[in-house]
Amino acid sequence: MQIAQKVVKTVSNVLPFHISFSDEQGYIIGSSLPERIGTLHEPSKEVLEKNTYLLFDEEKVNNQPNVFPGVAMPVTFDSSTIGVLGIIGPPAQVEPYAQLISKYVEMRWHETFDKQLEDLETKTLETFAQYILLNDKTNQVRVEQYCKMLDLSFYTKRFCIVVDIGDSLISSVQNKTPIGQLKEQMLHCTQKAFDSYHNAICTFLNTEKIILLKPVQSEHNYMAALEYFIEQSSYLTDMFKTYQITNISIAAGKLCHTIDRISESYQEAESLIKFGRQLDISPRIYTFHSWDIIKALLPHQIDAHFQDKIMFRLRPLFADKDFSELMQNFMVYCQNKMNISQAAKELYIHRNTLIYRLKKIEAITSVNIKDFEHCMMLYLVLKRYDKSSSLR
């Protein structure tokens, strides 16, 4: 009934005649005259029985309730008769247009049905994505049922790409941009950028996130995909700028061997975006395949309990009145490959001044300033402390 009324409304906008649509029992389920919806139209049964159109003039409709002059004809959908189209008007005027109008109605019916089916598939895909990504535990039988319904392989290896677009969709509503059309275009751009169509899952998880569950054949293919990840993400970012969408973060998670474990990949991608924002890493494209990302995140991967032990050990250094200066000098020393002359030059201080400060750190902490491993350990701890302090 919903499809019938939608089709009738659309077709009425381009016709000079009132039309109606009756079901197989003769009840009108769509009409450009709303008061007729739900009423019985007896001649529709005759049209269906004879499978041809009938004309009704003034004389013929005199004693028939709810019947107007015009033409009634069967409407087919996928080779089956689904109801009766009624066109109201003088038969001599209506009949020449009957076949044309009928074909137009059938075409619109197909389009409307296909659109509703597409919307249902989109909603089902969104629901499935939410189920497998936002739940720590999933029912394998239920996941396999979803896969069968959506024609997806349960055992295909996949990894999750998260495209965080912030409040872009909300902004588009405020700017009166058709949100359905925008979402469809953004999903198409995402699939195009990452070359993911067959057996891929690309959908909105919510108003802020697009997720792409990209299939790969092997771990080697996964590594190859990550080789192009930054380039492809940059391409997607450029495409989104066409729609005035610029607040974007993109991350890729780990490889998962079955789709019911894909939440692990999603959580990893989400954590990358979270840390990337906190640490203000640019460009906002994150993957553990990038050594720059690993280097930036490594200090923050130290176990909290172990971090507390180290911080306790370094408490005298933190308590020193010159701590900020000592920390800065030490980190520049490490960043210059433990070369005192280069570090002193970057700090605009005398070489002996830097040596003095490094020896002071050594005296306070017992860290061997000439030992790479000692320096690396202290550097990671101070790096995390420095960034954590700036985020407060």
Side-chain angles (χ1 to χ4, degrees):
M1 182 172 179
Q2 186 179 14
I3 294 180
Q5 184 57 18
K6 190 170 184 178
V7 170
V8 166
K9 184 177 180 180
T10 302
V11 174
S12 296
N13 290 333
V14 296
L15 291 181
F17 311 108
H18 284 294
I19 63 172
S20 64
F21 191 90
S22 304
D23 63 15
E24 296 178 356
Q25 283 73 47
Y27 285 93
I28 297 175
I29 58 175
S31 176
S32 55
L33 298 171
E35 64 273 13
R36 299 188 72 201
I37 297 176
T39 61
L40 184 63
H41 186 259
E42 283 287 353
S44 292
K45 295 180 181 179
E46 184 180 354
V47 172
L48 291 171
E49 288 173 2
K50 295 180 178 179
N51 196 31
T52 187
Y53 74 90
L54 299 176
L55 296 175
F56 299 89
D57 55 22
E58 291 283 356
E59 183 179 348
K60 191 172 183 178
V61 303
N62 274 338
N63 298 318
Q64 296 192 58
N66 198 33
V67 181
F68 295 91
V71 61
M73 55 196 312
V75 174
T76 60
F77 179 74
D78 286 345
S79 303
S80 299
T81 301
I82 57 172
V84 175
L85 171 67
I87 308 171
I88 299 175
Q93 294 180 21
V94 171
E95 186 178 9
Y97 300 99
Q99 290 295 333
L100 180 62
I101 294 172
S102 174
K103 293 300 179 185
Y104 183 69
V105 167
E106 289 174 357
M107 180 188 72
R108 297 299 303 186
W109 189 282
H110 272 277
E111 290 177 353
T112 304
F113 180 82
D114 290 344
K115 184 64 172 65
Q116 290 198 350
L117 185 61
E118 182 182 331
D119 291 344
L120 178 60
E121 290 175 349
T122 298
K123 186 61 181 177
T124 302
L125 194 61
E126 288 181 4
T127 302
F128 178 51
Q130 290 166 357
Y131 178 67
I132 60 176
L133 297 180
L134 303 180
N135 288 289
D136 294 331
K137 294 183 179 180
T138 56
N139 182 292
Q140 182 174 335
V141 174
R142 186 176 180 185
V143 174
E144 288 178 340
Q145 289 173 341
Y146 265 115
C147 287
K148 185 176 181 180
M149 179 172 53
L150 296 169
D151 193 26
L152 298 168
S153 171
F154 178 87
Y155 292 100
T156 296
K157 298 178 179 65
R158 292 180 173 87
F159 68 99
C160 181
I161 297 173
V162 176
V163 182
D164 193 313
I165 60 172
D167 63 353
S168 297
L169 282 182
I170 297 174
S171 298
S172 73
V173 172
Q174 294 172 345
N175 295 331
K176 298 182 180 180
T177 303
I179 192 168
Q181 180 181 348
L182 179 59
K183 288 176 69 175
E184 186 177 335
Q185 291 168 340
M186 292 172 70
L187 292 176
H188 173 72
C189 288
T190 303
Q191 288 181 290
K192 181 179 180 181
F194 294 105
D195 191 25
S196 296
Y197 296 97
H198 178 66
N199 210 16
I201 298 175
C202 187
T203 183
F204 275 82
L205 188 65
N206 51 44
T207 57
E208 296 183 352
K209 293 183 179 69
I210 297 172
I211 59 99
L212 172 64
L213 306 186
K214 183 176 174 66
V216 290
Q217 294 182 345
S218 64
E219 290 185 7
H220 175 75
N221 293 133
Y222 169 62
M223 294 297 290
L226 293 183
E227 288 284 348
Y228 294 100
F229 179 71
I230 294 179
E231 179 183 337
Q232 292 174 328
S233 297
S234 298
Y235 178 41
L236 178 61
T237 300
D238 289 340
M239 284 196 287
F240 276 9
K241 288 178 181 177
T242 305
Y243 304 103
Q244 288 75 52
I245 298 171
T246 56
N247 183 29
I248 309 167
S249 298
I250 308 174
K254 63 183 285 189
L255 179 65
C256 295
H257 291 257
T258 55
I259 200 169
D260 61 337
R261 302 292 299 275
I262 199 67
S263 63
E264 298 172 15
S265 184
Y266 168 73
Q267 293 297 336
E268 183 171 284
E270 279 283 85
S271 67
L272 280 169
I273 290 176
K274 177 184 175 182
F275 278 116
R277 285 178 173 170
Q278 287 179 343
L279 303 177
D280 196 26
I281 299 174
S282 183
R284 296 196 293 184
I285 300 170
Y286 315 115
T287 166
F288 279 120
H289 191 70
S290 166
W291 284 112
D292 289 337
I293 297 297
I294 292 175
K295 182 179 72 173
L297 295 182
L298 185 58
H300 303 271
Q301 304 307 307
I302 300 174
D303 177 82
H305 178 70
F306 187 64
Q307 173 79 6
D308 289 342
K309 294 292 186 184
I310 298 176
M311 297 292 277
F312 179 79
R313 176 68 180 79
L314 297 176
R315 187 176 294 174
L317 178 62
F318 297 135
D320 191 278
K321 62 183 180 63
D322 297 321
F323 168 67
S324 296
E325 184 178 64
L326 293 173
M327 179 178 70
Q328 181 210 21
N329 285 194
F330 174 77
M331 294 181 75
V332 172
Y333 166 69
C334 291
Q335 290 162 2
N336 280 273
K337 304 176 183 179
M338 300 169 65
N339 185 304
I340 291 178
S341 296
Q342 288 182 14
K345 185 177 181 180
E346 183 175 328
L347 290 165
Y348 298 101
I349 60 176
H350 194 276
R351 185 175 185 276
N352 290 339
T353 302
L354 179 57
I355 292 174
Y356 168 78
R357 291 171 182 171
L358 292 175
K359 285 188 175 294
K360 183 175 181 179
I361 294 173
E362 195 170 46
I364 295 173
T365 65
S366 298
V367 168
N368 185 349
I369 295 300
K370 296 180 182 179
D371 185 288
F372 170 76
E373 292 181 345
H374 278 212
C375 287
M376 179 183 68
M377 179 177 61
L378 181 58
Y379 178 83
L380 291 176
V381 173
L382 293 179
K383 183 84 171 177
R384 174 168 177 170
Y385 175 88
D386 184 44
K387 182 57 72 172
S388 298
S389 299
S390 66
L391 292 174
R392 290 171 188 167

